[in-house]
Amino acid sequence: MVSEIEADAVPAPVVRQGPLYRIVRGILRPLVRLLYRPTITGAEHVPKRGPVILASNHLSFVDSIVIPLASPRPVQFLAKSHYFTGTGPKGWVSRTFFSAIGAVSVERGAGAQAQEALDQGRRILEAGAAFALYPEGTRSLDGRLYRGRTGVAWLALETGATVVPVGLVGTEEIQPVGARFPRIRPVTVRFGAPLDLSRHGASSSGRARRAATDEIMAAIHGLTGQELAGRYNETPPSGTLARIADRVVPRERV
């Protein structure tokens, strides 16, 4: 998951489609659908092949489990390293689970280290895979949709990847902030029409990144209907994509 992490990463492998990935995905998808009976719409909008960014709103920790299970194709994303470094049986379960659902470990850090996290996303996309992230940078604690950070636009414009907006509804009720265990609640996952952002310009242009990001956020808002916060989500401290946007590309407040 892209939220609530900063990067100090090593080069990442691309999407893991080995036996364990297929087994976990094959077991969890029908189990989740049986228990939660999620409403999933627009899955046909996700290209069957080629680089694609699934850009989603972010309401809960479980978003990074819901998206890979709802997506019609394998998805890779970034996750905090402590999910991979635990010891004992609990550490093994965590490491195995997150690896199996396509997560890539990143350490905390900033500056050049955040650039490496962004480069991991680029490598994933250049390999023709699907990459999920949250343009808000961190999850919304009040349910509002915050302004998007431009790291997502940099990735899209730099790689030429198609962007599919994703709207999550109800995931904050599955595992509210502070809850230790998930609850069974209705959840909706909406995949929007693909966005071609190339018309905005080059990835080196701050104006192009800002316009492309705003287009992505408008599409997400159209899927969720959330109240717009009209500002960046600064609490809790911004996560990987927020740090990436602020350190790797010029910081914009326009």
Side-chain angles (χ1 to χ4, degrees):
M1 65 206 74
V2 174
S3 65
E4 300 172 350
I5 49 177
E6 286 79 38
D8 176 9
V10 297
V14 295
V15 175
R16 306 170 186 194
Q17 297 176 293
L20 183 59
Y21 186 103
R22 293 193 294 270
I23 290 171
V24 171
R25 184 176 165 88
I27 293 174
L28 285 183
R29 289 191 80 191
L31 180 61
V32 167
R33 295 192 181 208
L34 177 64
L35 291 177
Y36 289 92
R37 300 188 180 277
T39 300
I40 302 173
T41 62
E44 69 276 6
H45 291 313
V46 180
K48 294 182 179 179
R49 59 184 61 86
V52 60
I53 296 172
L54 301 182
S56 176
N57 63 321
H58 193 18
L59 299 170
S60 170
F61 163 80
V62 301
D63 295 345
S64 295
I65 299 174
V66 169
I67 292 174
L69 294 180
S71 172
R73 62 181 284 188
V75 178
Q76 196 158 4
F77 57 93
L78 304 181
K80 289 186 286 188
S81 63
H82 75 247
Y83 293 121
F84 297 85
T85 57
T87 59
K90 184 177 179 180
W92 180 86
V93 170
S94 177
R95 182 168 55 255
T96 301
F97 174 77
F98 280 93
S99 296
I101 62 173
V104 172
S105 172
V106 291
E107 300 286 345
R108 293 184 179 274
Q113 298 165 342
Q115 173 68 63
E116 178 57 32
L118 187 62
D119 286 341
Q120 286 201 36
R122 180 172 60 183
R123 284 191 289 269
I124 291 169
L125 293 169
E126 288 177 343
F131 183 53
L133 54 78
Y134 309 112
E136 292 171 279
T138 190
R139 58 182 161 178
S140 171
L141 298 181
D142 58 15
R144 295 186 296 169
L145 184 66
Y146 286 81
R147 200 175 192 201
R149 306 281 180 161
T150 57
V152 60
W154 186 90
L155 275 174
L157 296 175
E158 184 74 8
T159 64
T162 297
V163 175
V164 173
V166 180
L168 301 177
V169 179
T171 56
E172 75 278 15
E173 296 298 327
I174 295 178
Q175 190 167 9
V177 176
R180 296 187 61 185
F181 302 103
R183 305 180 300 186
I184 296 179
R185 295 290 188 276
V187 62
T188 298
V189 183
R190 297 173 181 142
F191 295 96
L195 303 175
D196 180 0
L197 304 174
S198 60
R199 61 186 175 82
H200 291 293
S203 62
S204 59
S205 167
R207 186 183 298 272
R209 293 192 302 270
R210 182 72 265 162
T213 301
D214 289 345
E215 181 177 344
I216 293 169
M217 298 310 296
I220 294 174
H221 179 248
L223 296 170
T224 67
Q226 292 169 268
E227 178 185 348
L228 296 174
R231 60 181 178 84
Y232 293 101
N233 191 354
E234 301 289 0
T235 49
S238 54
T240 297
L241 256 293
R243 294 298 182 91
I244 287 171
D246 288 346
R247 287 174 168 78
V248 177
V249 297
R251 187 167 187 166
E252 299 143 329
R253 296 295 183 187
V254 296

